[in-house]
Amino acid sequence: MPRSIWKGSISFGLVQIPVALYPAEEPDELHFTQLDRRTMAPIRYERVNRETGEPVSWDDIVRGYPYEKGEYVVLSDEDLRRANVEATQTVDILDFVDASEIDPIYYDKPYFLAPASQNGKKRSPVTAYVLLREALRKTGKVGIAKVVIRTREHIAAVRPHGRGLVLNLLRFAHELRSDEELDLPEMDAQGKGLGKRELEMAERLVAEMATAWEPEKYKDEYRDDVMKLIERKVKSGRTTAPAEPVEEERHRRATGTVDLIALLKKSLGQKGEKAANDEANSGAKDGAKDGRRAPEEGGKSRVRKAEAPKRKGRSSRRAA
């Protein structure tokens, strides 16, 4: 079980719900070590005293706020907590809003909220936790709250997720840049050279590619490809030889003027061929199971020979 990074309570109205905060993401990133290309030795980064140049251990490092040049106020974790105990130990729900009203651009980092004991000895009742979870689920609302995590105050959304509650950190409005400074096309699609036919074909393509949301089917293929490249380099013994640069134009996708109608037709055709192939393969499998005729290319048909009776004592079956 992961360690909680924060303990406090959810507060809305007069209700207090003891909770613990857990990371809800586990980034699977590639981590590289920086090397000196001349000797392939790792480059080390040290925490050193600027005046003496001596290394400093983590145990000797404290947090300081500069109030004058060269002068600091030292603050410990307990100092920061005492500055505003309520703010540092409470997910304070200010409002409830419709989940659909929050633009996805505001969502930042997710955390799990789990029931927690107030005194660390007893298992706290989960009635209030379940009450909030089900109230949010049935109303379609999310709680907009303020919470302090690691010395910074955040705005967050508290929402139901399966059997639990998730606290999604949100970006403040002032943290988002306006798109007014960008050269973007106007909302009027017809005024930008798009005809009704192009739009209808684009809508049809979107409809044909529409499917249910299954996050598990999307993989980090780039990471897999990089790992395969690393394995090939290890097997070949060329671990220190970087690849030679190639012309960028060779790998860049074509841009510029395009025939939208032609591209949309080709895309729709590919989707139609895939659907037809899937249907044909499905029919072939069904026909193979019961000996029926299965269609082949060119309109011809073939008949699958009946399988020989199963011999006694054989435990294997012929693959259909």
Side-chain angles (χ1 to χ4, degrees):
M1 181 177 181
R3 292 179 58 186
S4 65
I5 64 171
W6 180 97
K7 284 188 177 181
S9 62
I10 299 175
S11 172
F12 63 102
L14 299 177
V15 180
Q16 297 283 330
I17 308 173
V19 291
L21 195 69
Y22 297 88
E25 63 176 356
E26 190 174 12
D28 187 17
E29 300 177 355
L30 290 170
H31 295 280
F32 297 96
T33 300
Q34 291 189 322
L35 309 172
D36 185 330
R37 66 182 302 169
R38 298 166 298 179
T39 63
M40 292 298 152
I43 298 174
R44 182 172 61 192
Y45 293 89
E46 294 182 329
R47 298 171 298 279
V48 298
N49 186 309
R50 288 186 182 179
E51 294 182 357
T52 65
E54 296 293 324
V56 182
S57 67
W58 280 113
D59 293 338
D60 294 324
I61 295 177
V62 295
R63 185 188 292 108
Y65 180 84
Y67 67 95
E68 287 183 9
K69 187 174 181 179
E71 300 293 334
Y72 301 87
V73 174
V74 175
L75 296 171
S76 66
D77 291 340
E78 182 61 21
D79 287 325
L80 294 172
R81 190 188 72 84
R82 288 182 180 180
N84 189 332
V85 175
E86 185 177 352
T88 57
Q89 293 188 332
T90 308
V91 177
D92 190 15
I93 295 179
L94 309 174
D95 302 291
F96 291 99
V97 304
D98 287 339
S100 59
E101 291 184 4
I102 303 177
D103 191 311
I105 197 173
Y106 283 94
Y107 282 98
D108 190 6
K109 193 171 185 177
Y111 291 91
F112 288 125
L113 285 166
S117 172
Q118 289 178 296
N119 55 21
K121 296 180 180 179
K122 297 180 181 178
R123 179 180 176 83
S124 63
V126 297
T127 305
Y129 182 92
V130 174
L131 182 67
L132 176 60
R133 183 191 68 192
E134 294 308 306
L136 293 176
R137 192 190 311 280
K138 290 182 180 299
T139 60
K141 303 286 186 182
V142 297
I144 302 300
K146 283 194 173 182
V147 60
V148 174
I149 302 175
R150 297 194 178 106
T151 75
R152 182 187 171 190
E153 184 175 70
H154 301 267
I155 187 172
V158 178
R159 57 186 183 83
H161 180 78
R163 294 182 298 137
L165 291 171
V166 165
L167 180 137
N168 251 113
L169 296 187
L170 301 176
R171 298 178 177 91
F172 285 100
H174 68 267
E175 294 179 312
L176 294 172
R177 292 180 174 177
S178 171
D179 62 5
E180 294 297 326
E181 58 192 67
L182 302 177
D183 184 17
L184 301 175
E186 297 298 325
M187 295 294 288
D188 181 17
Q190 300 294 334
K192 290 299 176 182
L194 289 178
K196 184 178 179 181
R197 186 182 178 195
E198 288 95 333
L199 188 56
E200 288 177 349
M201 293 183 71
E203 291 175 354
R204 180 182 162 194
L205 179 58
V206 170
E208 290 193 4
M209 294 180 66
T211 184
W213 168 237
E214 298 177 18
E216 295 81 9
K217 81 175 187 179
Y218 302 101
K219 308 297 181 183
D220 186 350
E221 295 179 358
Y222 177 74
R223 184 186 187 282
D224 294 341
D225 289 341
V226 172
M227 291 305 301
K228 289 177 183 177
L229 174 63
I230 292 173
E231 291 173 3
R232 289 200 301 269
K233 279 180 169 285
V234 170
K235 288 181 179 180
S236 67
R238 296 172 55 85
T239 57
T240 61
E244 293 295 326
V246 296
E247 294 182 15
E248 186 179 358
E249 294 297 328
R250 224 183 272 171
H251 297 278
R252 186 182 297 169
R253 290 191 177 188
T255 58
T257 304
V258 294
D259 185 345
L260 282 177
I261 289 289
L263 291 178
L264 287 169
K265 282 183 177 179
K266 187 175 180 180
S267 299
L268 287 168
Q270 289 177 345
K271 294 297 294 182
E273 288 177 8
K274 183 178 183 301
N277 289 335
D278 290 344
E279 185 177 352
N281 291 335
S282 176
K285 290 179 181 178
D286 292 341
K289 290 179 180 179
D290 56 12
R292 290 177 300 181
R293 294 175 178 266
E296 289 186 335
E297 293 184 8
K300 296 180 181 179
S301 62
R302 59 183 174 84
V303 180
R304 196 183 187 331
K305 293 183 180 180
E307 294 185 8
K310 183 177 177 182
R311 293 182 182 179
K312 293 183 180 180
R314 294 184 62 184
S315 57
S316 62
R317 296 178 60 186
R318 293 180 58 189

